[in-house]
Amino acid sequence: MNLTLKIWRQPDAVTAGAIHTYQLADVSPDMSFLEMLDVLNEQLNDQGEEPVAFEHDCREGICGSCGLMINGEAHGPEVTTTCQLHMRSFKDGDTITIEPWRSEGFPVIKDLVVDRSAFDRIIQQGGFVSVNTGAAPEAHSVPVPKEDADRAFNVATCIACGACVAACPNGSASLFMGAKITHLGLLPQGQPERDSRVVNMVAQHDAEGFGGCTNIGACTASCPKEIPLDVISQLNKDLRTAIRHGH
């Protein structure tokens, strides 16, 4: 395939960025999207140009670091991570626009790389349980209903990639927060800090500049792990309960 790539280039966090256009020939449909960017960067290196900076790690769809806006869609046209998107999803002659996540909470570092440490700070405010660690407890010492265990596992698959924020017109991270709050709220270990957890995480979310949720649903539609929208309902329910309890 021969492609036209329109890519956001920004040398650093303070310098204004712009879209640059590149031509790339002989792209195999079996390449992953990131492999295609690797080929482009090899071409740029050969031409003495600065390669495009983009973030990645596992390239297996499990770490969430590879997020990009592709033709205006978080992670591109398929429900998967960018690293698991393949060029067979595009056609010969296509023009592909590639941009970083767009959110006040995810400032651009360089080109397509954004700072997602806001998610880390939200987790630090309550996305954990305070327990003394040591030898693993006996599996049946704290019974958990299977329905709760299954749902907790399913929502815990969130990889904190930030696609929900990038897709949301409000730039809300409520799906990410709702997944963590629902996960811990379903398990006995999460109960002692349940009220303080939701209050502190929501406060940090707002302080980071993320927007509020208006239930548009773009977040769950773009989520590569298909986290359901009802985790946001659980988030709001837990927050109201915590406020009633005086937190």
Side-chain angles (χ1 to χ4, degrees):
M1 294 188 294
N2 296 324
L3 302 170
T4 299
L5 304 176
K6 293 182 175 294
I7 302 178
W8 181 263
R9 302 302 307 268
Q10 184 171 337
D12 53 54
V14 297
T15 306
I19 292 288
H20 290 225
T21 301
Y22 304 97
Q23 303 297 324
L24 193 61
D26 299 324
V27 175
S28 168
D30 294 326
M31 285 181 182
S32 73
F33 198 87
L34 297 188
E35 287 174 323
M36 179 273 294
L37 289 179
D38 288 338
V39 172
L40 171 66
N41 279 343
E42 289 176 359
Q43 176 178 298
L44 293 177
N45 273 325
D46 291 342
Q47 296 169 353
E49 298 183 44
E50 179 78 12
V52 177
F54 62 94
E55 190 174 7
H56 64 94
D57 188 7
C58 71
R59 297 203 179 198
E60 296 177 350
I62 59 175
C63 76
S65 64
C66 60
L68 299 173
M69 293 298 289
I70 301 169
N71 289 339
E73 297 181 279
H75 288 304
E78 311 291 341
V79 182
T80 187
T81 53
T82 300
C83 65
Q84 293 294 292
L85 179 68
H86 286 79
M87 298 311 298
R88 66 179 70 97
S89 297
F90 303 92
K91 302 186 300 295
D92 181 41
D94 274 357
T95 296
I96 304 174
T97 301
I98 310 168
E99 300 171 275
W101 286 162
R102 296 296 191 187
S103 168
E104 181 180 340
F106 293 153
V108 174
I109 297 174
K110 181 178 180 180
D111 293 341
L112 304 175
V113 180
V114 300
D115 181 356
R116 292 182 301 128
S117 60
F119 271 14
D120 297 330
R121 291 188 289 272
I122 291 172
I123 289 294
Q124 288 166 2
Q125 288 300 315
F128 57 87
V129 293
S130 296
V131 296
N132 293 323
T133 58
E138 200 280 322
H140 298 292
S141 62
V142 183
V144 180
K146 186 177 187 308
E147 181 179 343
D148 290 349
D150 288 346
R151 178 160 166 74
F153 179 85
N154 288 337
V155 299
T157 59
C158 169
I159 55 175
C161 65
C164 51
V165 175
C168 177
N170 305 325
S172 173
S174 293
L175 192 75
F176 159 73
M177 276 199 309
K180 181 55 65 176
I181 285 166
T182 301
H183 160 217
L184 295 175
L186 286 165
L187 300 176
Q189 296 88 342
Q191 301 314 306
E193 298 167 295
R194 187 167 183 168
D195 286 352
S196 60
R197 172 181 301 114
V198 66
V199 169
N200 293 339
M201 290 180 72
V202 168
Q204 188 65 41
H205 168 278
D206 295 347
E208 297 291 348
F210 296 112
C213 173
T214 51
N215 288 308
I216 293 170
C219 55
T220 190
S222 66
C223 176
K225 299 304 177 181
E226 301 183 47
I227 303 297
L229 193 63
D230 62 4
V231 298
I232 300 178
S233 300
Q234 188 63 55
L235 162 66
N236 293 331
K237 180 180 177 182
D238 280 17
L239 182 60
R240 290 194 298 270
T241 299
I243 292 171
R244 284 200 306 269
H245 290 168
H247 283 266

